[in-house]
PDB file of all heavy atoms in Angstrom:
ATOM      1  N   ASP M  93      17.599  18.516   1.054  1.00  0.00           N
ATOM      2  CA  ASP M  93      18.640  17.487   1.401  1.00  0.00           C
ATOM      3  C   ASP M  93      19.647  17.340   0.298  1.00  0.00           C
ATOM      4  O   ASP M  93      20.857  17.421   0.560  1.00  0.00           O
ATOM      5  CB  ASP M  93      17.909  16.178   1.743  1.00  0.00           C
ATOM      6  CG  ASP M  93      18.954  15.094   2.125  1.00  0.00           C
ATOM      7  OD1 ASP M  93      19.840  15.409   2.936  1.00  0.00           O
ATOM      8  OD2 ASP M  93      18.817  13.986   1.576  1.00  0.00           O
TER       9      ASP M  93
ATOM     10  N   HIS V  69      31.255  -8.995   1.799  1.00  0.00           N
ATOM     11  CA  HIS V  69      30.507  -8.326   0.740  1.00  0.00           C
ATOM     12  C   HIS V  69      31.322  -8.313  -0.529  1.00  0.00           C
ATOM     13  O   HIS V  69      30.878  -7.753  -1.558  1.00  0.00           O
ATOM     14  CB  HIS V  69      30.219  -6.864   1.117  1.00  0.00           C
ATOM     15  CG  HIS V  69      29.238  -6.733   2.235  1.00  0.00           C
ATOM     16  ND1 HIS V  69      29.592  -7.044   3.537  1.00  0.00           N
ATOM     17  CD2 HIS V  69      27.980  -6.235   2.281  1.00  0.00           C
ATOM     18  CE1 HIS V  69      28.515  -6.801   4.327  1.00  0.00           C
ATOM     19  NE2 HIS V  69      27.588  -6.286   3.613  1.00  0.00           N
ATOM     20  N   SER V  89      28.435   3.361  -2.085  1.00  0.00           N
ATOM     21  CA  SER V  89      28.188   3.926  -0.761  1.00  0.00           C
ATOM     22  C   SER V  89      29.463   3.709   0.027  1.00  0.00           C
ATOM     23  O   SER V  89      30.445   3.165  -0.461  1.00  0.00           O
ATOM     24  CB  SER V  89      26.981   3.200  -0.081  1.00  0.00           C
ATOM     25  OG  SER V  89      27.461   1.960   0.483  1.00  0.00           O
ATOM     26  N   TYR V  90      29.463   4.133   1.269  1.00  0.00           N
ATOM     27  CA  TYR V  90      30.637   3.944   2.155  1.00  0.00           C
ATOM     28  C   TYR V  90      30.973   2.445   2.240  1.00  0.00           C
ATOM     29  O   TYR V  90      32.097   2.064   2.517  1.00  0.00           O
ATOM     30  CB  TYR V  90      30.358   4.479   3.584  1.00  0.00           C
ATOM     31  CG  TYR V  90      29.062   3.899   4.018  1.00  0.00           C
ATOM     32  CD1 TYR V  90      29.006   2.653   4.677  1.00  0.00           C
ATOM     33  CD2 TYR V  90      27.812   4.520   3.755  1.00  0.00           C
ATOM     34  CE1 TYR V  90      27.807   2.047   4.994  1.00  0.00           C
ATOM     35  CE2 TYR V  90      26.644   3.956   4.113  1.00  0.00           C
ATOM     36  CZ  TYR V  90      26.619   2.764   4.733  1.00  0.00           C
ATOM     37  OH  TYR V  90      25.418   2.156   5.053  1.00  0.00           O
ATOM     38  N   ARG V  91      29.959   1.594   2.014  1.00  0.00           N
ATOM     39  CA  ARG V  91      30.214   0.146   2.128  1.00  0.00           C
ATOM     40  C   ARG V  91      31.038  -0.413   0.964  1.00  0.00           C
ATOM     41  O   ARG V  91      31.713  -1.425   1.117  1.00  0.00           O
ATOM     42  CB  ARG V  91      28.852  -0.622   2.187  1.00  0.00           C
ATOM     43  CG  ARG V  91      28.953  -2.069   2.476  1.00  0.00           C
ATOM     44  CD  ARG V  91      29.318  -2.377   3.908  1.00  0.00           C
ATOM     45  NE  ARG V  91      28.323  -1.973   4.885  1.00  0.00           N
ATOM     46  CZ  ARG V  91      28.619  -1.689   6.148  1.00  0.00           C
ATOM     47  NH1 ARG V  91      29.865  -1.752   6.581  1.00  0.00           N
ATOM     48  NH2 ARG V  91      27.699  -1.289   6.984  1.00  0.00           N
ATOM     49  N   GLU V  92      31.111   0.357  -0.129  1.00  0.00           N
ATOM     50  CA  GLU V  92      31.929  -0.034  -1.269  1.00  0.00           C
ATOM     51  C   GLU V  92      33.102   0.905  -1.436  1.00  0.00           C
ATOM     52  O   GLU V  92      33.531   1.230  -2.552  1.00  0.00           O
ATOM     53  CB  GLU V  92      31.083  -0.071  -2.526  1.00  0.00           C
ATOM     54  CG  GLU V  92      29.951  -1.109  -2.549  1.00  0.00           C
ATOM     55  CD  GLU V  92      28.753  -0.639  -1.715  1.00  0.00           C
ATOM     56  OE1 GLU V  92      28.484   0.594  -1.620  1.00  0.00           O
ATOM     57  OE2 GLU V  92      28.079  -1.518  -1.132  1.00  0.00           O
ATOM     58  N   VAL V 130      28.033   9.171   1.570  1.00  0.00           N
ATOM     59  CA  VAL V 130      27.836   8.926   2.987  1.00  0.00           C
ATOM     60  C   VAL V 130      26.354   8.959   3.389  1.00  0.00           C
ATOM     61  O   VAL V 130      25.910   8.106   4.123  1.00  0.00           O
ATOM     62  CB  VAL V 130      28.704   9.951   3.788  1.00  0.00           C
ATOM     63  CG1 VAL V 130      28.328   9.874   5.269  1.00  0.00           C
ATOM     64  CG2 VAL V 130      30.185   9.670   3.563  1.00  0.00           C
ATOM     65  N   PRO V 131      25.576   9.949   2.887  1.00  0.00           N
ATOM     66  CA  PRO V 131      24.171   9.939   3.253  1.00  0.00           C
ATOM     67  C   PRO V 131      23.397   8.855   2.515  1.00  0.00           C
ATOM     68  O   PRO V 131      23.458   8.775   1.271  1.00  0.00           O
ATOM     69  CB  PRO V 131      23.660  11.330   2.903  1.00  0.00           C
ATOM     70  CG  PRO V 131      24.651  11.872   1.918  1.00  0.00           C
ATOM     71  CD  PRO V 131      25.924  11.134   2.088  1.00  0.00           C
ATOM     72  N   ILE V 132      22.680   8.025   3.239  1.00  0.00           N
ATOM     73  CA  ILE V 132      22.054   6.829   2.680  1.00  0.00           C
ATOM     74  C   ILE V 132      21.122   7.167   1.495  1.00  0.00           C
ATOM     75  O   ILE V 132      20.297   8.023   1.556  1.00  0.00           O
ATOM     76  CB  ILE V 132      21.215   6.136   3.795  1.00  0.00           C
ATOM     77  CG1 ILE V 132      22.082   5.744   4.980  1.00  0.00           C
ATOM     78  CG2 ILE V 132      20.540   4.895   3.209  1.00  0.00           C
ATOM     79  CD1 ILE V 132      23.245   4.860   4.680  1.00  0.00           C
ATOM     80  N   THR V 134      21.110   8.690  -1.145  1.00  0.00           N
ATOM     81  CA  THR V 134      21.028   9.964  -1.902  1.00  0.00           C
ATOM     82  C   THR V 134      21.781   9.893  -3.214  1.00  0.00           C
ATOM     83  O   THR V 134      21.616  10.800  -4.058  1.00  0.00           O
ATOM     84  CB  THR V 134      21.547  11.133  -1.033  1.00  0.00           C
ATOM     85  OG1 THR V 134      22.815  10.805  -0.561  1.00  0.00           O
ATOM     86  CG2 THR V 134      20.609  11.390   0.134  1.00  0.00           C
ATOM     87  N   PHE V 159      23.699   0.158  -2.884  1.00  0.00           N
ATOM     88  CA  PHE V 159      23.055   0.715  -1.703  1.00  0.00           C
ATOM     89  C   PHE V 159      22.572  -0.452  -0.880  1.00  0.00           C
ATOM     90  O   PHE V 159      22.496  -1.579  -1.375  1.00  0.00           O
ATOM     91  CB  PHE V 159      21.942   1.680  -2.085  1.00  0.00           C
ATOM     92  CG  PHE V 159      20.958   1.098  -3.007  1.00  0.00           C
ATOM     93  CD1 PHE V 159      19.817   0.369  -2.510  1.00  0.00           C
ATOM     94  CD2 PHE V 159      21.131   1.106  -4.373  1.00  0.00           C
ATOM     95  CE1 PHE V 159      18.914  -0.219  -3.383  1.00  0.00           C
ATOM     96  CE2 PHE V 159      20.197   0.539  -5.285  1.00  0.00           C
ATOM     97  CZ  PHE V 159      19.103  -0.147  -4.724  1.00  0.00           C
ATOM     98  N   GLY V 160      22.190  -0.201   0.367  1.00  0.00           N
ATOM     99  CA  GLY V 160      21.860  -1.289   1.264  1.00  0.00           C
ATOM    100  C   GLY V 160      20.345  -1.530   1.399  1.00  0.00           C
ATOM    101  O   GLY V 160      19.568  -0.857   0.773  1.00  0.00           O
ATOM    102  N   ASP V 161      20.052  -2.522   2.213  1.00  0.00           N
ATOM    103  CA  ASP V 161      18.632  -2.831   2.473  1.00  0.00           C
ATOM    104  C   ASP V 161      17.967  -1.662   3.183  1.00  0.00           C
ATOM    105  O   ASP V 161      16.847  -1.270   2.857  1.00  0.00           O
ATOM    106  CB  ASP V 161      18.502  -4.123   3.298  1.00  0.00           C
ATOM    107  CG  ASP V 161      19.450  -4.175   4.480  1.00  0.00           C
ATOM    108  OD1 ASP V 161      20.662  -4.010   4.293  1.00  0.00           O
ATOM    109  OD2 ASP V 161      18.955  -4.376   5.630  1.00  0.00           O
ATOM    110  N   GLY V 162      18.683  -1.076   4.129  1.00  0.00           N
ATOM    111  CA  GLY V 162      18.125   0.119   4.779  1.00  0.00           C
ATOM    112  C   GLY V 162      17.839   1.216   3.866  1.00  0.00           C
ATOM    113  O   GLY V 162      16.835   1.977   3.995  1.00  0.00           O
ATOM    114  N   ALA V 163      18.652   1.389   2.853  1.00  0.00           N
ATOM    115  CA  ALA V 163      18.525   2.457   1.885  1.00  0.00           C
ATOM    116  C   ALA V 163      17.187   2.415   1.172  1.00  0.00           C
ATOM    117  O   ALA V 163      16.656   3.438   0.752  1.00  0.00           O
ATOM    118  CB  ALA V 163      19.653   2.453   0.919  1.00  0.00           C
ATOM    119  N   THR V 164      16.606   1.199   1.073  1.00  0.00           N
ATOM    120  CA  THR V 164      15.354   1.129   0.306  1.00  0.00           C
ATOM    121  C   THR V 164      14.228   1.800   1.029  1.00  0.00           C
ATOM    122  O   THR V 164      13.126   1.970   0.469  1.00  0.00           O
ATOM    123  CB  THR V 164      14.951  -0.374   0.047  1.00  0.00           C
ATOM    124  OG1 THR V 164      14.718  -1.019   1.312  1.00  0.00           O
ATOM    125  CG2 THR V 164      16.019  -1.103  -0.702  1.00  0.00           C
ATOM    126  N   GLU V 166      14.444   4.860   2.239  1.00  0.00           N
ATOM    127  CA  GLU V 166      14.594   6.299   2.006  1.00  0.00           C
ATOM    128  C   GLU V 166      13.846   6.799   0.808  1.00  0.00           C
ATOM    129  O   GLU V 166      13.842   6.113  -0.243  1.00  0.00           O
ATOM    130  CB  GLU V 166      16.065   6.667   1.859  1.00  0.00           C
ATOM    131  CG  GLU V 166      16.862   6.590   3.136  1.00  0.00           C
ATOM    132  CD  GLU V 166      16.726   7.830   4.039  1.00  0.00           C
ATOM    133  OE1 GLU V 166      15.894   8.721   3.738  1.00  0.00           O
ATOM    134  OE2 GLU V 166      17.475   7.887   5.020  1.00  0.00           O
ATOM    135  N   ASN V 188      22.481  -4.144  -1.758  1.00  0.00           N
ATOM    136  CA  ASN V 188      23.231  -5.071  -0.907  1.00  0.00           C
ATOM    137  C   ASN V 188      22.363  -5.356   0.297  1.00  0.00           C
ATOM    138  O   ASN V 188      22.357  -4.632   1.273  1.00  0.00           O
ATOM    139  CB  ASN V 188      24.526  -4.337  -0.478  1.00  0.00           C
ATOM    140  CG  ASN V 188      25.049  -4.876   0.850  1.00  0.00           C
ATOM    141  OD1 ASN V 188      24.876  -6.010   1.219  1.00  0.00           O
ATOM    142  ND2 ASN V 188      25.727  -3.998   1.595  1.00  0.00           N
ATOM    143  N   ASN V 190      22.257  -7.004   3.183  1.00  0.00           N
ATOM    144  CA  ASN V 190      22.985  -7.773   4.195  1.00  0.00           C
ATOM    145  C   ASN V 190      22.126  -7.939   5.474  1.00  0.00           C
ATOM    146  O   ASN V 190      22.648  -8.297   6.571  1.00  0.00           O
ATOM    147  CB  ASN V 190      24.324  -7.130   4.492  1.00  0.00           C
ATOM    148  CG  ASN V 190      24.165  -5.696   5.045  1.00  0.00           C
ATOM    149  OD1 ASN V 190      23.072  -5.273   5.411  1.00  0.00           O
ATOM    150  ND2 ASN V 190      25.257  -4.959   5.060  1.00  0.00           N
ATOM    151  N   TRP V 192      20.878  -6.107   7.664  1.00  0.00           N
ATOM    152  CA  TRP V 192      21.077  -5.195   8.806  1.00  0.00           C
ATOM    153  C   TRP V 192      21.308  -3.765   8.347  1.00  0.00           C
ATOM    154  O   TRP V 192      22.049  -3.556   7.367  1.00  0.00           O
ATOM    155  CB  TRP V 192      22.208  -5.629   9.718  1.00  0.00           C
ATOM    156  CG  TRP V 192      21.945  -6.886  10.447  1.00  0.00           C
ATOM    157  CD1 TRP V 192      22.268  -8.172  10.046  1.00  0.00           C
ATOM    158  CD2 TRP V 192      21.208  -7.022  11.706  1.00  0.00           C
ATOM    159  NE1 TRP V 192      21.829  -9.049  10.986  1.00  0.00           N
ATOM    160  CE2 TRP V 192      21.181  -8.392  11.997  1.00  0.00           C
ATOM    161  CE3 TRP V 192      20.631  -6.113  12.593  1.00  0.00           C
ATOM    162  CZ2 TRP V 192      20.575  -8.900  13.148  1.00  0.00           C
ATOM    163  CZ3 TRP V 192      20.058  -6.581  13.725  1.00  0.00           C
ATOM    164  CH2 TRP V 192      19.993  -7.955  14.019  1.00  0.00           C
ATOM    165  N   ALA V 193      20.741  -2.818   9.022  1.00  0.00           N
ATOM    166  CA  ALA V 193      21.084  -1.406   8.921  1.00  0.00           C
ATOM    167  C   ALA V 193      21.598  -1.019  10.291  1.00  0.00           C
ATOM    168  O   ALA V 193      20.798  -0.820  11.215  1.00  0.00           O
ATOM    169  CB  ALA V 193      19.886  -0.591   8.533  1.00  0.00           C
ATOM    170  N   ILE V 194      22.855  -1.015  10.462  1.00  0.00           N
ATOM    171  CA  ILE V 194      23.522  -0.930  11.782  1.00  0.00           C
ATOM    172  C   ILE V 194      22.835  -1.978  12.644  1.00  0.00           C
ATOM    173  O   ILE V 194      23.037  -3.154  12.394  1.00  0.00           O
ATOM    174  CB  ILE V 194      23.447   0.510  12.367  1.00  0.00           C
ATOM    175  CG1 ILE V 194      24.083   1.507  11.389  1.00  0.00           C
ATOM    176  CG2 ILE V 194      24.234   0.539  13.698  1.00  0.00           C
ATOM    177  CD1 ILE V 194      24.182   2.955  11.914  1.00  0.00           C
ATOM    178  N   ARG V 255      25.467  -9.543   7.092  1.00  0.00           N
ATOM    179  CA  ARG V 255      26.573  -8.730   7.611  1.00  0.00           C
ATOM    180  C   ARG V 255      27.225  -9.525   8.757  1.00  0.00           C
ATOM    181  O   ARG V 255      26.671  -9.575   9.844  1.00  0.00           O
ATOM    182  CB  ARG V 255      26.065  -7.390   8.089  1.00  0.00           C
ATOM    183  CG  ARG V 255      27.214  -6.295   8.025  1.00  0.00           C
ATOM    184  CD  ARG V 255      26.813  -5.076   8.770  1.00  0.00           C
ATOM    185  NE  ARG V 255      26.830  -5.281  10.202  1.00  0.00           N
ATOM    186  CZ  ARG V 255      26.031  -4.699  11.051  1.00  0.00           C
ATOM    187  NH1 ARG V 255      25.120  -3.855  10.653  1.00  0.00           N
ATOM    188  NH2 ARG V 255      26.136  -4.974  12.346  1.00  0.00           N
ATOM    189  N   HIS V 259      29.007  -3.160  11.813  1.00  0.00           N
ATOM    190  CA  HIS V 259      28.691  -2.199  10.818  1.00  0.00           C
ATOM    191  C   HIS V 259      29.901  -1.357  10.460  1.00  0.00           C
ATOM    192  O   HIS V 259      30.170  -1.084   9.274  1.00  0.00           O
ATOM    193  CB  HIS V 259      27.587  -1.247  11.359  1.00  0.00           C
ATOM    194  CG  HIS V 259      27.402  -0.029  10.563  1.00  0.00           C
ATOM    195  ND1 HIS V 259      26.847  -0.006   9.320  1.00  0.00           N
ATOM    196  CD2 HIS V 259      27.756   1.279  10.834  1.00  0.00           C
ATOM    197  CE1 HIS V 259      26.827   1.217   8.859  1.00  0.00           C
ATOM    198  NE2 HIS V 259      27.378   2.005   9.729  1.00  0.00           N
TER     199      HIS V 259
ATOM    200  N   GLU Y  39      16.392   5.948  14.338  1.00  0.00           N
ATOM    201  CA  GLU Y  39      17.189   4.876  13.748  1.00  0.00           C
ATOM    202  C   GLU Y  39      18.172   4.343  14.829  1.00  0.00           C
ATOM    203  O   GLU Y  39      18.923   5.100  15.408  1.00  0.00           O
ATOM    204  CB  GLU Y  39      17.984   5.383  12.559  1.00  0.00           C
ATOM    205  CG  GLU Y  39      17.064   5.776  11.405  1.00  0.00           C
ATOM    206  CD  GLU Y  39      17.648   6.824  10.476  1.00  0.00           C
ATOM    207  OE1 GLU Y  39      18.845   7.116  10.584  1.00  0.00           O
ATOM    208  OE2 GLU Y  39      16.868   7.380   9.648  1.00  0.00           O
ATOM    209  N   ASP Y  40      18.043   3.029  15.140  1.00  0.00           N
ATOM    210  CA  ASP Y  40      18.996   2.382  16.036  1.00  0.00           C
ATOM    211  C   ASP Y  40      18.870   2.898  17.472  1.00  0.00           C
ATOM    212  O   ASP Y  40      19.800   2.728  18.237  1.00  0.00           O
ATOM    213  CB  ASP Y  40      20.440   2.516  15.523  1.00  0.00           C
ATOM    214  CG  ASP Y  40      20.569   2.053  14.083  1.00  0.00           C
ATOM    215  OD1 ASP Y  40      20.369   0.836  13.845  1.00  0.00           O
ATOM    216  OD2 ASP Y  40      20.852   2.898  13.199  1.00  0.00           O
ATOM    217  N   LEU Y  68      14.746   3.307   8.066  1.00  0.00           N
ATOM    218  CA  LEU Y  68      15.783   4.286   7.772  1.00  0.00           C
ATOM    219  C   LEU Y  68      15.229   5.381   6.858  1.00  0.00           C
ATOM    220  O   LEU Y  68      15.404   5.368   5.691  1.00  0.00           O
ATOM    221  CB  LEU Y  68      16.975   3.623   7.112  1.00  0.00           C
ATOM    222  CG  LEU Y  68      18.382   4.193   7.334  1.00  0.00           C
ATOM    223  CD1 LEU Y  68      19.394   3.315   6.601  1.00  0.00           C
ATOM    224  CD2 LEU Y  68      18.492   5.624   6.982  1.00  0.00           C
ATOM    225  N   GLU Y  70      14.252   9.579   7.498  1.00  0.00           N
ATOM    226  CA  GLU Y  70      14.087  10.704   8.414  1.00  0.00           C
ATOM    227  C   GLU Y  70      12.781  11.445   8.172  1.00  0.00           C
ATOM    228  O   GLU Y  70      12.141  11.872   9.173  1.00  0.00           O
ATOM    229  CB  GLU Y  70      15.281  11.653   8.280  1.00  0.00           C
ATOM    230  CG  GLU Y  70      16.585  11.024   8.746  1.00  0.00           C
ATOM    231  CD  GLU Y  70      17.175   9.989   7.810  1.00  0.00           C
ATOM    232  OE1 GLU Y  70      16.751   9.961   6.648  1.00  0.00           O
ATOM    233  OE2 GLU Y  70      18.048   9.254   8.241  1.00  0.00           O
ATOM    234  N   GLN Y  92      20.035  10.706  13.616  1.00  0.00           N
ATOM    235  CA  GLN Y  92      21.309  10.068  14.055  1.00  0.00           C
ATOM    236  C   GLN Y  92      22.470  10.987  14.064  1.00  0.00           C
ATOM    237  O   GLN Y  92      23.317  10.917  14.914  1.00  0.00           O
ATOM    238  CB  GLN Y  92      21.553   8.823  13.212  1.00  0.00           C
ATOM    239  CG  GLN Y  92      22.469   7.825  13.878  1.00  0.00           C
ATOM    240  CD  GLN Y  92      22.429   6.469  13.222  1.00  0.00           C
ATOM    241  OE1 GLN Y  92      23.041   6.246  12.169  1.00  0.00           O
ATOM    242  NE2 GLN Y  92      21.676   5.504  13.806  1.00  0.00           N
ATOM    243  N   TYR Y  93      22.487  11.887  13.057  1.00  0.00           N
ATOM    244  CA  TYR Y  93      23.542  12.924  13.013  1.00  0.00           C
ATOM    245  C   TYR Y  93      22.907  14.195  12.399  1.00  0.00           C
ATOM    246  O   TYR Y  93      21.969  14.097  11.602  1.00  0.00           O
ATOM    247  CB  TYR Y  93      24.721  12.530  12.109  1.00  0.00           C
ATOM    248  CG  TYR Y  93      25.735  11.638  12.776  1.00  0.00           C
ATOM    249  CD1 TYR Y  93      25.546  10.249  12.781  1.00  0.00           C
ATOM    250  CD2 TYR Y  93      26.883  12.162  13.404  1.00  0.00           C
ATOM    251  CE1 TYR Y  93      26.477   9.415  13.377  1.00  0.00           C
ATOM    252  CE2 TYR Y  93      27.822  11.328  13.979  1.00  0.00           C
ATOM    253  CZ  TYR Y  93      27.626   9.932  13.963  1.00  0.00           C
ATOM    254  OH  TYR Y  93      28.575   9.141  14.565  1.00  0.00           O
ATOM    255  N   ALA Y  95      23.700  16.164   9.851  1.00  0.00           N
ATOM    256  CA  ALA Y  95      23.498  16.254   8.427  1.00  0.00           C
ATOM    257  C   ALA Y  95      22.488  15.248   7.905  1.00  0.00           C
ATOM    258  O   ALA Y  95      21.968  15.343   6.759  1.00  0.00           O
ATOM    259  CB  ALA Y  95      24.822  16.088   7.640  1.00  0.00           C
ATOM    260  N   PHE Y  96      22.132  14.284   8.740  1.00  0.00           N
ATOM    261  CA  PHE Y  96      21.154  13.286   8.333  1.00  0.00           C
ATOM    262  C   PHE Y  96      19.766  13.765   8.781  1.00  0.00           C
ATOM    263  O   PHE Y  96      18.768  13.026   8.554  1.00  0.00           O
ATOM    264  CB  PHE Y  96      21.491  11.916   8.870  1.00  0.00           C
ATOM    265  CG  PHE Y  96      22.896  11.508   8.493  1.00  0.00           C
ATOM    266  CD1 PHE Y  96      23.684  10.738   9.366  1.00  0.00           C
ATOM    267  CD2 PHE Y  96      23.467  11.871   7.293  1.00  0.00           C
ATOM    268  CE1 PHE Y  96      24.960  10.374   9.029  1.00  0.00           C
ATOM    269  CE2 PHE Y  96      24.745  11.529   6.952  1.00  0.00           C
ATOM    270  CZ  PHE Y  96      25.514  10.772   7.832  1.00  0.00           C
ATOM    271  N   PRO Y  99      16.897  15.383   5.393  1.00  0.00           N
ATOM    272  CA  PRO Y  99      15.702  14.816   4.723  1.00  0.00           C
ATOM    273  C   PRO Y  99      14.389  15.141   5.452  1.00  0.00           C
ATOM    274  O   PRO Y  99      13.344  15.072   4.865  1.00  0.00           O
ATOM    275  CB  PRO Y  99      15.969  13.317   4.739  1.00  0.00           C
ATOM    276  CG  PRO Y  99      17.456  13.150   4.864  1.00  0.00           C
ATOM    277  CD  PRO Y  99      17.864  14.333   5.705  1.00  0.00           C
ATOM    278  N   HIS Y 139      29.130  14.243   9.108  1.00  0.00           N
ATOM    279  CA  HIS Y 139      28.931  13.921  10.521  1.00  0.00           C
ATOM    280  C   HIS Y 139      29.340  15.087  11.391  1.00  0.00           C
ATOM    281  O   HIS Y 139      29.655  14.944  12.566  1.00  0.00           O
ATOM    282  CB  HIS Y 139      29.812  12.694  10.926  1.00  0.00           C
ATOM    283  CG  HIS Y 139      29.374  11.395  10.309  1.00  0.00           C
ATOM    284  ND1 HIS Y 139      29.555  11.142   8.950  1.00  0.00           N
ATOM    285  CD2 HIS Y 139      28.724  10.331  10.840  1.00  0.00           C
ATOM    286  CE1 HIS Y 139      29.055   9.925   8.697  1.00  0.00           C
ATOM    287  NE2 HIS Y 139      28.581   9.407   9.806  1.00  0.00           N
TER     288      HIS Y 139
HETATM  289  C1  LIG O  22      20.362   9.897   5.452  1.00  0.00           C
HETATM  290  C2  LIG O  22      21.156   9.089   6.447  1.00  0.00           C
HETATM  291  N1  LIG O  22      20.589   8.687   7.594  1.00  0.00           N
HETATM  292  C3  LIG O  22      21.292   8.037   8.532  1.00  0.00           C
HETATM  293  C4  LIG O  22      22.605   7.706   8.296  1.00  0.00           C
HETATM  294  C5  LIG O  22      23.413   6.922   9.362  1.00  0.00           C
HETATM  295  N2  LIG O  22      23.706   5.541   8.881  1.00  0.00           N
HETATM  296  C6  LIG O  22      24.899   5.238   8.353  1.00  0.00           C
HETATM  297  S1  LIG O  22      24.920   3.626   7.816  1.00  0.00           S
HETATM  298  C7  LIG O  22      23.339   3.391   8.293  1.00  0.00           C
HETATM  299  C8  LIG O  22      22.660   2.038   8.026  1.00  0.00           C
HETATM  300  C9  LIG O  22      22.615   1.752   6.584  1.00  0.00           C
HETATM  301  O1  LIG O  22      22.061   0.453   6.408  1.00  0.00           O
HETATM  302  P1  LIG O  22      21.966  -0.208   4.945  1.00  0.00           P
HETATM  303  O2  LIG O  22      21.288   0.792   4.000  1.00  0.00           O
HETATM  304  O3  LIG O  22      21.353  -1.502   5.093  1.00  0.00           O
HETATM  305  O4  LIG O  22      23.463  -0.337   4.441  1.00  0.00           O
HETATM  306  P2  LIG O  22      24.628  -1.143   5.110  1.00  0.00           P
HETATM  307  O5  LIG O  22      25.288  -0.295   6.126  1.00  0.00           O
HETATM  308  O6  LIG O  22      23.986  -2.376   5.726  1.00  0.00           O
HETATM  309  O7  LIG O  22      25.582  -1.532   3.999  1.00  0.00           O
HETATM  310  C10 LIG O  22      22.802   4.520   8.900  1.00  0.00           C
HETATM  311  C11 LIG O  22      21.457   4.639   9.456  1.00  0.00           C
HETATM  312  C12 LIG O  22      23.135   8.124   7.087  1.00  0.00           C
HETATM  313  N3  LIG O  22      24.463   7.824   6.790  1.00  0.00           N
HETATM  314  N4  LIG O  22      22.453   8.791   6.176  1.00  0.00           N
END
Side-chain angles (χ1 to χ4, degrees):
Chain M
D93 180 46
Chain V
H69 294 69
S89 80
Y90 52 86
R91 188 71 66 206
E92 297 78 30
V130 171
I132 301 302
T134 53
F159 53 90
D161 46 307
T164 63
E166 288 278 8
N188 154 29
N190 61 12
W192 289 94
I194 304 185
R255 206 192 73 212
H259 165 72
Chain Y
E39 295 155 9
D40 307 296
L68 210 179
E70 293 73 17
Q92 203 164 78
Y93 279 87
F96 306 144
H139 292 72

